[in-house]
Amino acid sequence: RLLRGFLIAASLAWMLRNVFNLPQIMQRSASSGKHGLCACYVTVPNRETALTIARNLVQQKLVACANIVPGLVSVFEWKGKVEEDNEEMLILKTKCELVPELTIAVTALHPYDCAEVIAMPIVDGNEPYMQWVAEQTKQLE
């Protein structure tokens, strides 16, 4: 599981950095003044873990909202064999500038050796909702 998680995370990190240029996109989004918001995806092994992480992130004001999506099946190669795992996914709404702190908080609470945390800028959305997300999350000092 550790190697699988590492390979998945490394591949996604490379793709986000080199193909989609996520750091530049996030910097532009955060500095554009329009929203500066991100949606983050985190997979977890079960509902209990999902609720623990979600509640902690909301209480710390690292996210405005956490949706828990049940019934995921992850398919991956492990030790030369195709495997399947049942998982749940958290969809988190936050400010892009909070993603590094959010990632630290998730990895501290997560049972996997290599937790999946993927952030994507929110290009646009319902303006009152975007404002609500910004108001519900903490200000960096």
Side-chain angles (χ1 to χ4, degrees):
R1 268 180 114 53
L2 174 61
L3 181 59
R4 173 182 69 98
F6 174 76
L7 292 174
I8 291 169
S11 298
L12 289 171
W14 181 90
M15 186 172 68
L16 290 171
R17 226 180 283 112
N18 297 303
V19 177
F20 298 110
N21 200 0
L22 184 62
Q24 185 178 4
I25 290 169
M26 287 177 64
Q27 184 177 19
R28 266 199 319 260
S29 177
S31 65
S32 70
K34 183 167 184 180
H35 299 298
L37 302 178
C38 282
C40 299
Y41 296 85
V42 176
T43 53
V44 294
N46 53 51
R47 177 62 51 95
E48 181 182 337
T49 302
L51 285 168
T52 297
I53 292 172
R55 289 177 180 139
N56 185 280
L57 296 174
V58 170
Q59 287 170 351
Q60 290 187 61
K61 296 209 166 280
L62 290 173
V63 303
C65 177
N67 304 112
I68 299 171
V69 182
L72 298 180
V73 177
S74 295
V75 180
F76 54 93
E77 185 176 325
W78 181 248
K79 296 183 179 180
K81 184 176 157 192
V82 176
E83 301 281 350
E84 295 179 11
D85 266 341
N86 294 320
E87 293 184 303
E88 297 198 2
M89 179 180 286
L90 290 165
I91 302 173
L92 311 167
K93 278 71 75 182
T94 189
K95 294 175 184 152
C96 294
E97 63 189 21
L98 295 175
V99 171
E101 190 175 347
L102 177 150
T103 301
I104 291 168
V106 168
T107 56
L109 295 166
H110 208 290
Y112 293 167
D113 292 328
C114 184
E116 175 185 4
V117 181
I118 299 172
M120 293 171 278
I122 298 172
V123 176
D124 209 352
N126 179 24
E127 194 62 40
Y129 183 79
M130 300 291 114
Q131 185 61 39
W132 177 80
V133 171
E135 290 169 359
Q136 294 303 306
T137 50
K138 73 182 197 174
Q139 301 293 322
L140 282 183
E141 299 167 9

